[in-house]
Amino acid sequence: MELRPLREADEDGFVGMLRASAEAWAAWTPEVYPGLSEETRFRRELSRARLGARAGTHLRLVGTVADGGIVGLFALNEIVRGVFQSAYASWQVATPHMGSGYGTEGVRAIVDIAFDTSDQGLGLHRVQANVMPANVRSLRIAEKLGFRREGLASRYLRIAGEWEDHAMYAITVEEWPPDG
């Protein structure tokens, strides 16, 4: 899998992924663009990714496979500099590719980017991931990659009309890469 920025040419693949994965993602994902078509959501995501990259506030990447198909979205959000040097990791794997290892591969890659101190990386100190306790697949990814559970944020995000608790996981550069 290759991780790269979203491109104009990705519209059909992105829209297809949104449609194919909507039902599976609904239980775990806040509705950022309520009531908008998938095509409009693509345009907004493309714009958001470009603005965030220019401002240095977030990094939003798509995971693609050899045939060009999009298998997921991987991001570092709310990048904060100064004495904090931190970001929130998020990920979504397209329904046909769930359980294939792409989630782990993509999250490993964005954490590599987060902690990389070269010109290609962000040089961060900490990455946090907040996951609903019932989202077993995402919890497993975080744990497999060495994120440690730090607590529970009660009623943290509004998902599917309900305020949902989230398990708070984090990893620091000193803990990366995980053993094994």
Side-chain angles (χ1 to χ4, degrees), residues 4 11 26 29 35 41 43-44 48 54 59 68 71 81 84 86 90 98 111 133 145 151 155 162 173 178:
R4 61 167 177 76
E11 183 170 3
T29 308
R41 288 170 59 193
R43 309 282 340 138
R44 291 225 177 144
R48 185 176 177 204
R54 278 196 299 273
L59 176 67
V71 299
R81 296 300 186 168
F84 197 39
S86 186
S90 66
M98 289 178 180
V111 175
L145 292 176
R155 297 170 300 283
E162 299 293 328
V173 69

Side-chain angles (χ1 to χ4, degrees), residues 78-96:
E78 300 180 43
I79 298 169
V80 178
R81 296 300 186 168
V83 297
F84 197 39
Q85 295 296 327
S86 186
Y88 291 92
S90 66
W91 57 90
Q92 295 174 281
V93 176
T95 299

Side-chain angles (χ1 to χ4, degrees), residues 35-171:
L36 297 181
S37 71
E38 288 85 358
E39 292 81 7
T40 302
R41 288 170 59 193
F42 169 77
R43 309 282 340 138
R44 291 225 177 144
E45 185 63 27
L46 184 62
S47 176
R48 185 176 177 204
R50 288 175 175 165
L51 288 172
R54 278 196 299 273
T57 56
H58 56 266
L59 176 67
R60 304 180 68 76
L61 303 172
V62 291
T64 61
V65 289
D67 68 2
I70 298 174
V71 299
L73 308 172
F74 302 91
L76 293 167
N77 301 297
E78 300 180 43
I79 298 169
V80 178
R81 296 300 186 168
V83 297
F84 197 39
Q85 295 296 327
S86 186
Y88 291 92
S90 66
W91 57 90
Q92 295 174 281
V93 176
T95 299
H97 303 286
M98 289 178 180
S100 65
Y102 289 127
T104 301
E105 183 180 347
V107 175
R108 182 183 311 274
I110 62 169
V111 175
D112 279 342
I113 293 167
F115 293 146
D116 183 353
T117 57
S118 77
D119 291 344
Q120 303 301 308
L122 298 174
L124 298 177
H125 180 258
R126 175 186 169 91
V127 174
Q128 185 168 324
N130 300 319
V131 182
M132 290 172 57
N135 189 343
V136 176
R137 284 184 165 154
S138 285
L139 291 175
R140 178 69 187 119
I141 289 170
E143 290 167 356
K144 189 185 314 182
L145 292 176
F147 282 72
R148 84 190 106 63
R149 185 175 170 145
E150 295 188 322
L152 183 71
S154 298
R155 297 170 300 283
Y156 184 72
L157 282 177
R158 190 170 172 94
I159 311 278
E162 299 293 328
W163 287 101
E164 297 288 348
D165 296 348
H166 281 65
M168 299 166 51
Y169 283 80
I171 193 164

